[in-house]
């Protein structure tokens, strides 16, 4: 979501006459778009602001802005903590940036704009944005969250849930496709409740409309909340050919007691039922999830249930986090906090368990042919074990199940014409690593060792 917002911020700055630079030292204005989901993200934001403050002592004209969730949460405290900061703008203030920045340029005043409306009018007042990735783009379909999980800061810094009108979403995706984008990821804190509050269409209906956009090849979405994840969306994986076979379905814990204390509003059994229904409907589906370890009061027995759930489900990938207290989240006041040492131990146990599962899942793909949406040239080798030379012709892309595949394609002019970002290339998987796969394009006449004479590409 921050990537999406950053694109809007950048577009606004370009309209004000700024140009993008990759060199911090020569910038006249720097905006830090922050995240506060965990304590570490907030620490990173402040450490970067420290670096900018030092830069400003050498270049007093530099304008420093802080946006995003840390800005929303801390407001004018940021001006006191980092006196070099000129502008603090909250999560609903992006649309006002084009007014705020000229004021700072003219008057050299310091501004804080962190108003949060109960019923945000989801303006598309900043309709355009700059995108870094020419192939795949994020599209925010809703903002905020009404769920109030007890560990989570999001409802406090992003405000109440509000969905964008489907016509605006379809128009935005249509424009992206016109500019060459092939894949979109629809974003919301709980996409399954899309449109319900406003009486717009359901999320499954929105998927159906996005699916019919000509020229778009792939649709992804995140995040799904298990409590609202219904059969209509489960069926969408089968019904709509562009919806990729991957779901990110955060479970957070395998213990009903902890799920209840987290206010997640589902049980372990219900989660397992959704997984079965998913796999019954779409056997190829890849399932990933989020886990929080060391939630206040999480006993050894609760944690054992989480490990058991991970073992039972065999996720394709997991994001695991140690619990951290967040401002205004009720769990701050929960008793029986878990020590940092114990949280680290539990995190390691989850990661070690999952690493084996991921490796096995990746290994099982060796020999299969996968359609890869080419994203670009890979900057680094996929694994230390891979002995292939680093070359500008090492490409990278993803399977529909969201697994990264790197592949080699020799660098001659004729061969380069076969593969380019946005192309779907069929690739035979040859090697599996912990976080990626190695493949060989099949059916490209000029490729090294590939199959000859096949149709080259399939979407
Ligand atoms: N809306 C999404 C989650 C967004 S936050 C959902 O409901 O699934 C992304 C992930 O950060 C969460 O799934 C959770 O695993 C993690 N997270 C959120 N708050 C946290 C906290 N206080 N400590 C540790 N991890 C946290
Ligand atoms: Fe946070 Fe829960 Fe909302 Fe996700 S659903 S953003 S975890 S409050």
């Amino acid at each position: 979501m921050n990537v999406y917002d950053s694109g809007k911020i950048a577009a606004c700055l370009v309209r004000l006459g700024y140009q993008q630079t990759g060199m911090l030292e020569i910038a006249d204005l720097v905006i830090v778009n922050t995240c506060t989901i965990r304590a570490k993200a907030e620490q990173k934001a402040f450490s970067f602001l420290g670096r900018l403050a030092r830069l400003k002592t050498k270049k007093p004209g530099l304008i420093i802005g802080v946006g995003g969730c840390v800005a929303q949460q801390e407001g004018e405290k940021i001006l006191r903590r980092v006196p070099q900061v000129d502008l603090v703008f909250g999560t609903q203030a992006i649309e006002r940036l084009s007014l705020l920045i000229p004021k700072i340029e003219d008057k050299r005043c310091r501004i804080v704009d962190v108003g949060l409306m109960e019923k945000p009018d989801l303006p598309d007042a900043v309709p355009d944005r700059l995108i870094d990735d020419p192939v795949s783009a994020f599209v925010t379909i809703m903002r905020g969250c009404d769920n109030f999980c007890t560990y989570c800061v999001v409802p406090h810094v992003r405000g109440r849930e509000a969905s964008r009108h489907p016509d605006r979403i379809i128009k935005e995706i249509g424009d992206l496709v016109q500019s060459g984008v092939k894949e979109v990821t629809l974003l919301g804190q709980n996409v399954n409740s899309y449109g319900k509050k406003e009486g717009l269409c359901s999320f499954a209906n929105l998927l159906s409309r996005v699916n019919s956009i000509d020229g778009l090849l792939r649709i992804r979405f995140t995040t799904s909340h298990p409590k609202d994840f219904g059969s209509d969306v489960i069926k969408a994986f089968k019904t709509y050919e562009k919806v990729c076979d991957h779901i990110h379905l955060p479970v957070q814990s395998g213990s009903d007691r902890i799920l209840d204390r987290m206010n997640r509003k589902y049980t372990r059994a219900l989660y397992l039922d959704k997984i079965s229904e998913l796999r019954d409907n779409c056997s190829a589906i890849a399932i990933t999830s989020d886990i929080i370890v060391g939630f206040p009061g999480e006993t050894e027995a609760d944690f054992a249930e989480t490990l058991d759930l991970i073992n039972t489900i065999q996720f394709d990938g997991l994001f695991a986090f140690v619990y951290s207290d967040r401002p205004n989240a009720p769990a701050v006041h929960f008793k029986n906090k878990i020590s940092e040492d114990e949280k680290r131990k539990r995190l390691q146990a989850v990661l070690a368990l999952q690493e084996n599962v991921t490796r096995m899942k990746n290994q099982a793909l060796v020999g299969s042919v996968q359609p890869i949406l080419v994203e670009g040239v890979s900057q680094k080798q996929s694994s230390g074990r891979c002995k292939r030379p680093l070359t500008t012709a090492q490409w990278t892309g993803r399977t529909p199940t969201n697994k990264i595949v790197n592949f080699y394609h020799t660098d001659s002019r004729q061969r380069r014409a076969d593969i380019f970002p946005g192309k779907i290339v069929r690739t035979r998987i040859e090697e599996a690593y912990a976080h990626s796969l190695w493949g060989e394009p099949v059916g490209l006449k000029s490729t090294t060792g590939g199959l000859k004479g096949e149709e080259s590409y399939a979407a």
Side-chain angles (χ1 to χ4, degrees):
M1 207 160 269
N2 272 17
V3 171
Y4 180 85
D5 286 347
S6 293
K8 292 209 156 198
I9 294 169
C12 168
L13 293 175
V14 166
R15 275 201 310 279
L16 290 174
Y18 287 90
Q19 286 175 3
Q20 269 187 314
T21 172
M23 291 163 71
L24 206 52
E25 292 69 23
I26 67 163
D28 299 307
L29 176 148
V30 179
I31 289 188
V32 189
N33 194 11
T34 59
C35 170
T36 188
I37 192 74
R38 288 171 289 277
K40 206 168 159 190
E42 186 179 338
Q43 286 153 14
K44 276 193 194 167
F46 277 107
S47 108
F48 186 64
L49 283 175
R51 197 175 144 202
L52 290 179
R54 286 191 294 281
L55 199 64
K56 193 162 177 171
T57 55
K58 288 188 221 142
K59 190 176 175 183
L62 177 67
I63 297 176
I64 302 177
V66 186
C69 293
V70 176
Q72 189 66 51
Q73 178 187 293
E74 298 296 301
E76 62 176 75
K77 279 192 249 163
I78 296 180
L79 296 188
R80 290 198 289 276
R81 188 164 162 183
V82 191
Q84 291 81 359
V85 168
D86 300 282
L87 168 67
V88 177
F89 63 101
T91 51
Q92 291 180 8
I94 295 177
E95 287 75 19
R96 294 188 288 276
L97 263 188
S98 55
L99 303 174
L100 300 175
I101 289 175
K103 274 192 201 160
I104 295 173
E105 288 167 337
D106 292 350
K107 302 197 187 118
R108 298 308 300 187
C109 53
R110 302 174 85 199
I111 297 178
V112 177
D113 182 346
V114 289
L116 208 54
M117 283 186 287
E118 178 66 24
K119 273 199 172 168
D121 162 34
L122 277 192
D124 281 332
V126 187
D128 57 333
R129 62 190 160 119
L130 298 191
I131 51 171
D132 287 340
D133 186 339
V135 175
S136 182
F138 294 117
V139 176
T140 290
I141 62 167
M142 58 209 291
R143 292 184 181 272
C145 183
D146 288 348
N147 287 309
F148 292 95
C149 302
T150 54
Y151 52 81
C152 188
V153 74
V154 171
H156 310 283
V157 289
R158 290 261 175 192
R160 296 289 65 72
E161 183 183 292
S163 299
R164 292 177 67 199
H165 196 281
D167 293 350
R168 288 178 171 184
I169 296 169
I170 298 300
K171 165 88 172 64
E172 181 171 354
I173 299 175
D175 290 350
L176 286 167
V177 171
Q178 287 295 312
S179 73
V181 162
K182 303 287 183 207
E183 174 183 87
V184 288
T185 303
L186 309 179
L187 297 177
Q189 295 300 344
N190 178 12
V191 291
N192 303 107
S193 63
Y194 171 81
K196 281 188 188 158
K197 240 167 116 169
E198 294 82 358
L200 301 168
C201 68
S202 70
F203 182 57
N205 285 336
L206 181 68
L207 283 177
S208 136
R209 286 188 64 181
V210 179
N211 192 65
S212 56
I213 296 178
D214 281 342
L216 182 70
L217 298 181
R218 290 184 172 183
I219 304 168
R220 302 184 184 279
F221 53 87
T222 196
T223 303
S224 293
H225 194 306
K227 81 177 166 63
D228 297 310
F229 185 51
S231 301
D232 56 347
V233 177
I234 291 179
K235 289 196 183 94
F237 289 102
K238 230 184 186 167
T239 320
Y240 306 126
E241 73 285 359
K242 294 177 188 172
V243 173
C244 289
D245 293 344
H246 170 228
I247 176 89
H248 184 63
L249 197 61
V251 64
Q252 315 297 1
S253 169
S255 153
D256 280 342
R257 204 179 67 84
I258 296 295
L259 287 173
D260 186 45
R261 283 164 62 86
M262 287 176 164
N263 194 30
R264 287 293 284 179
K265 302 193 183 92
Y266 54 84
T267 59
R268 175 191 173 102
L270 188 116
Y271 187 86
L272 284 166
D273 283 351
K274 305 260 172 189
I275 299 291
S276 303
E277 193 181 339
L278 261 168
R279 286 182 168 153
D280 287 348
N281 268 272
C282 177
S283 56
I285 193 117
I287 304 170
T288 55
S289 196
D290 291 348
I291 297 279
I292 297 179
V293 299
F295 186 76
E298 183 189 69
T299 62
E300 286 286 353
D302 293 318
F303 181 59
E305 289 197 63
T306 296
L307 291 179
D308 181 70
L309 185 85
I310 296 170
N311 221 355
T312 306
I313 292 180
Q314 304 271 299
F315 292 108
D316 288 75
L318 264 188
F319 297 93
F321 310 105
V322 294
Y323 166 81
S324 59
D325 276 342
R326 304 311 297 131
N328 300 316
V332 171
H333 307 291
F334 288 9
K335 295 206 175 67
N336 301 322
K337 293 274 163 68
I338 311 297
S339 73
E340 289 304 315
D341 265 6
E342 185 56 31
K343 284 195 275 193
R344 297 274 150 214
K345 253 174 50 195
R346 291 181 189 180
L347 180 72
Q348 289 314 319
V350 167
L351 295 179
L353 174 60
Q354 183 58 41
E355 203 178 296
N356 278 332
V357 181
T358 307
R359 204 177 278 275
M360 268 166 38
K361 293 237 170 197
N362 284 352
Q363 195 62 44
L365 291 174
V366 171
S368 69
V369 174
Q370 302 284 333
I372 309 302
L373 178 61
V374 179
E375 288 169 10
V377 169
S378 165
Q379 294 302 316
K380 51 183 189 206
Q381 296 291 61
S382 57
S383 152
R385 283 201 302 124
C386 181
K387 297 289 182 289
R388 290 174 173 88
L390 185 59
T391 158
T392 50
Q394 182 174 311
W395 294 88
T396 190
R398 280 169 203 261
T399 64
T401 51
N402 209 30
K403 295 183 198 289
I404 296 171
V405 180
N406 295 311
F407 58 93
Y408 185 64
H409 193 51
T410 36
D411 191 9
S412 78
R413 216 189 309 154
Q414 184 217 339
R415 289 167 189 187
R416 281 292 279 274
D418 290 342
I419 295 181
F420 50 84
K423 186 98 194 170
I424 293 206
V425 175
R426 296 177 67 233
T427 303
R428 183 179 303 286
I429 306 302
E430 293 193 327
E431 291 175 51
Y433 309 112
H435 303 290
S436 65
L437 299 161
W438 183 267
E440 182 79 23
V442 296
L444 298 178
K445 288 192 194 81
S446 50
T447 193
T448 48
L451 298 183
K452 309 254 175 185
E454 271 191 40
E455 273 295 303
S456 301
Y457 309 110

